[in-house]
Amino acid sequence: MAEETRKLNILVLNCGSSSLKYQLINMEEKKVLAKGICERIGINDSQIKHTPIGKEAVIIKGDMPDHKNAVQYVIDALVSKEHGVIDSMDAINAVGHRIVHGGEEFASSTVITDEVIEAVKTCSDLAPLHNPANLIGIDACKQIMPNIPMVGVFDTAFHQTMPKKSYLYALPYAYYRKYKLRRYGFHGTSHKYVAYRAAEFLNRDIKDMKIVVCHLGNGASVCAVDGGKSVDTSMGLTPLEGLVMGTRSGDIDPAILQFLAEKENKTLEEVTSVLNKESGVLGISEISSDFRDLENAIAQGDKKAALTMNVFCYRVAKYVGAYAAAMNGIDAVVFTAGLGENNGAVRSEICSYLTFLGVNVDEEANKCRSIERDFSHEDARVRTLVIPTDEEMMIARETAKLL
Ligand code: AMP
């Protein structure tokens, strides 16, 4: 890394509608100095949970009617005498913002200017729950830290290398022209970090690799990374498409929307809400959206919990198979995020479908959690890896690179 980027302290912000997650990262040591979350912004009982790394977390109750107040609480916590990690706000060299949707406008991270803010606003139609919250965070920082440069890192940007055959839906082309209706994909920051880290871990040049990254968390997506570029991904115009997720259905027959609306006497909006919030793992299992609850139920012999796990794993495996075809080959399958990093049984079941490709799991090595590990058998033709994701570090890196 260039000398001038190493000195930086980068504040990484991830703003939701009523929350704000942050990490202060020192790029010289590639070390997180502090992290935390402001919750219930604009509601009541707001609070900040602040963790200076190496010390106990503190919870500070406070009045946060809006994100500007929340950003001020973050700065105060970072410079505080008792649990601060820097002397003053001047020690923050730049702010990296996670922005969910960059549409076709942003194929890479970018320094935030007034023009960029306007362009992000135009993408809000595509992510009405997320982009406005991200913009509020940017505005709050502009007011509180007007002289500190900001960079936007987009969840969609990594996937902008997808060829048209991957991102076009088979709908009248006019909808693409008029509304930019197409596959965008999400989790791009994670897919990029994990793919590049996997190549580094294997001591190989990513340019020569065909990698499938399985980001399996509450939200889940698969990405085909050919030569370091995203060439296909399972999420679409919105994060609803693709895999079975905690509460999201993933792929279904689109005719189900009208069918359910008629049978259940629901509006389209209500049916879409069912697909987003009441489906997926929660919907099938009727137990929980959290795989830990499912594991407990399976251990007690619950058949529907076991079936839910089968449906989940089968869908992931089908995507990996499809992406092996999309890239005409595959060198590594990499697992990340809450489930991918922690659930060996899920990894093992997914891999059981992929032996025809040359996947061969070392079950002993697969008994791992949240560490970087190659868990393939020595005879495997395709490597299988766990690489814990680190979206904040990736955002900090992108920010440092641009400044
Ligand atoms: P994420 O959205 O990345 O936080 O992932 C959430 C999913 O990962 C849930 O289904 C959890 O059951 C699972 N998960 C997260 N952390 C763990 C853990 N430490 N052990 C087992 N499963 C976990």
Side-chain angles (χ1 to χ4, degrees):
M1 188 174 289
E3 189 62 34
E4 62 273 18
T5 64
R6 293 162 132 222
K7 297 183 199 118
L8 296 172
N9 281 332
I10 312 273
L11 178 61
V12 176
L13 292 186
N14 182 354
C15 284
S17 52
S18 65
S19 70
L20 189 166
K21 287 192 210 143
Y22 63 94
Q23 283 197 11
L24 185 68
I25 301 181
N26 177 274
M27 294 309 285
E28 192 173 11
E29 297 175 37
K30 289 197 185 137
K31 207 172 92 182
V32 180
L33 303 177
K35 63 180 177 181
I37 180 166
C38 301
E39 288 170 303
R40 303 182 60 83
I41 302 166
I43 310 176
N44 52 7
D45 297 331
S46 12
Q47 62 172 36
I48 171 170
K49 183 179 176 195
H50 173 74
T51 312
I53 300 306
K55 293 191 197 155
E56 289 277 301
V58 285
I59 291 182
I60 305 159
K61 304 261 180 214
D63 196 19
M64 298 181 205
D66 59 34
H67 283 70
K68 188 176 163 202
N69 302 81
V71 171
Q72 192 60 59
Y73 269 93
V74 171
I75 307 282
D76 291 348
L78 291 171
V79 303
S80 120
K81 285 230 156 42
E82 299 112 280
H83 27 257
V85 289
I86 48 175
D87 293 334
S88 77
M89 201 167 79
D90 294 341
I92 300 171
N93 301 92
V95 182
H97 287 270
R98 175 192 180 211
I99 303 177
V100 168
H101 219 306
E104 288 190 333
E105 301 279 335
F106 299 103
S108 57
S109 306
T110 184
V111 175
I112 296 176
T113 60
D114 288 344
E115 293 76 50
V116 167
I117 291 172
E118 283 311 307
V120 172
K121 276 186 196 157
T122 65
C123 302
S124 289
D125 257 6
L126 299 167
L129 295 179
H130 295 99
N131 274 27
N134 302 154
L135 283 163
I136 288 171
I138 291 170
D139 190 51
C141 290
K142 249 177 88 176
Q143 293 183 46
I144 292 177
M145 307 180 256
N147 300 320
I148 298 178
M150 298 192 281
V151 166
V153 180
F154 301 89
D155 275 17
T156 48
F158 181 54
H159 303 300
Q160 279 298 303
T161 46
M162 281 190 292
K164 219 162 190 171
K165 65 182 174 188
S166 308
Y167 71 69
L168 262 195
Y169 290 120
L171 292 166
Y173 198 85
Y175 295 145
Y176 170 63
R177 263 198 308 267
K178 275 204 274 191
Y179 310 121
K180 294 275 172 254
L181 197 77
R182 49 160 285 181
R183 174 184 312 287
Y184 287 97
F186 297 86
H187 293 140
T189 311
S190 173
H191 286 301
K192 183 175 180 185
Y193 173 85
V194 169
Y196 278 74
R197 187 67 209 121
E200 248 170 51
F201 183 85
L202 292 170
N203 216 1
R204 291 189 51 185
D205 187 344
I206 194 157
K207 292 206 171 62
D208 302 326
M209 289 194 78
K210 297 172 193 290
I211 301 173
V212 177
V213 179
C214 305
H215 178 113
L216 309 179
N218 198 29
S221 69
V222 186
C223 179
V225 184
D226 194 347
K229 292 187 173 154
S230 169
V231 293
D232 208 344
T233 192
S234 57
M235 282 177 169
L237 175 77
T238 75
L240 182 55
E241 192 181 346
L243 301 180
V244 175
M245 302 178 223
T247 60
R248 284 172 245 166
S249 64
D251 300 335
I252 57 163
D253 180 343
I256 289 173
L257 272 102
Q258 189 184 348
F259 182 92
L260 272 184
E262 282 169 13
K263 294 282 181 202
E264 294 276 311
N265 198 20
K266 286 187 192 300
T267 63
L268 208 51
E269 202 178 342
E270 286 166 340
V271 177
T272 307
S273 171
V274 171
L275 300 189
N276 268 304
K277 298 188 181 146
E278 297 171 37
S279 301
V281 170
L282 172 67
I284 304 178
S285 70
E286 299 180 306
I287 296 171
S288 165
S289 62
D290 193 309
F291 253 79
R292 282 168 283 205
D293 300 329
L294 236 58
E295 279 179 284
N296 291 337
I298 292 169
Q300 283 161 24
D302 189 300
K303 288 210 168 63
K304 206 132 61 58
L307 172 66
T308 307
M309 174 149 157
N310 295 154
V311 175
F312 178 89
C313 294
Y314 177 66
R315 180 83 56 91
V316 179
K318 280 208 296 186
Y319 267 98
V320 179
Y323 289 170
M327 295 189 287
N328 201 1
I330 184 170
D331 298 304
V333 184
V334 191
F335 293 88
T336 196
L339 206 49
E341 291 169 28
N342 290 293
N343 196 318
V346 162
R347 291 192 298 261
S348 189
E349 186 165 333
I350 294 166
C351 290
S352 71
Y353 291 101
L354 305 170
T355 51
F356 78 101
L357 287 170
V359 166
N360 187 351
V361 167
D362 178 337
E363 292 297 346
E364 226 12 76
N366 188 30
K367 288 180 186 154
C368 63
R369 282 175 185 273
S370 282
I371 51 162
E372 293 188 346
R373 177 173 283 182
D374 180 347
F375 64 94
S376 17
H377 191 272
E378 58 184 15
D379 295 335
R381 291 197 311 280
V382 174
R383 311 317 300 173
T384 41
L385 277 80
V386 176
I387 299 282
T389 191
D390 195 342
E391 288 166 275
E392 288 79 11
M393 184 57 80
M394 192 71 202
I395 293 173
R397 266 195 219 162
E398 297 271 308
T399 304
K401 206 168 71 185
L402 279 170
L403 297 167

